[in-house]
Amino acid sequence: HVQLVESGGGSVQAGGSLNPSCTVTGRTSIPYCMGWFRQSPGKERERVATIARDSSRVNYADSVKGRFTISRDITKNTVVLHVSSLKPEDTAIYYCAAARVGGGSCLPPPGENDIDSWGQGTQVTVS
């Protein structure tokens, strides 16, 4: 497995931007599909975005398309979620996730039960 540590959350006003980042350590030679999930109080955790091992395939939740962009740097073992045009409904704990299913292809995009490693989460608050 790999270990995931998020950073870069915070509090912003509506319309603002943040760049939560995830650092991956451990067995990084194993191909993982990487992704971001989020959970708001009283709601189930939902998948926000995923990116394949070679960055050839990305997937976004409909609610964030056009506002969020996921990227990864294999050489630095980091995954970044660029979030812009934030809305109060984006307020949530954002979790970095890694899934081996599909050999890192993200085909299909992994659900919660497919995740092998989770980060501890980073809070994003939009007011």
Side-chain angles (χ1 to χ4, degrees), residues 6-10 20-21 36-37 92-96 119-125:
E6 302 97 333
S7 61
S21 178
W36 288 88
F37 287 67
I93 299 176
Y94 283 70
Y95 297 92
C96 183
Q120 83 286 355
T122 186
Q123 178 72 47
V124 171
T125 302

Side-chain angles (χ1 to χ4, degrees), residues 33-34 49-60 70 72 102 104-109:
C33 166
M34 298 299 300
T50 58
I51 186 167
R53 164 73 171 174
D54 59 0
S55 300
S56 62
R57 185 174 296 105
V58 295
N59 177 273
Y60 298 98
I70 188 171
R72 69 190 293 176
S105 68
C106 295
L107 269 182

Side-chain angles (χ1 to χ4, degrees), residues 11-79:
S11 297
V12 297
Q13 293 186 335
S17 302
L18 286 170
N19 295 295
S21 178
C22 174
T23 299
V24 185
T25 59
R27 301 184 68 184
T28 57
S29 60
I30 298 175
Y32 282 95
C33 166
M34 298 299 300
W36 288 88
F37 287 67
R38 67 184 181 185
Q39 188 167 25
S40 305
K43 295 185 178 180
E44 295 185 352
R45 188 153 49 183
E46 64 170 340
R47 185 179 65 237
V48 175
T50 58
I51 186 167
R53 164 73 171 174
D54 59 0
S55 300
S56 62
R57 185 174 296 105
V58 295
N59 177 273
Y60 298 98
D62 289 342
S63 59
V64 306
K65 283 181 180 177
R67 302 187 298 120
F68 290 15
T69 303
I70 188 171
S71 64
R72 69 190 293 176
D73 187 328
I74 295 296
T75 62
K76 297 181 180 179
N77 292 317
T78 57
V79 182

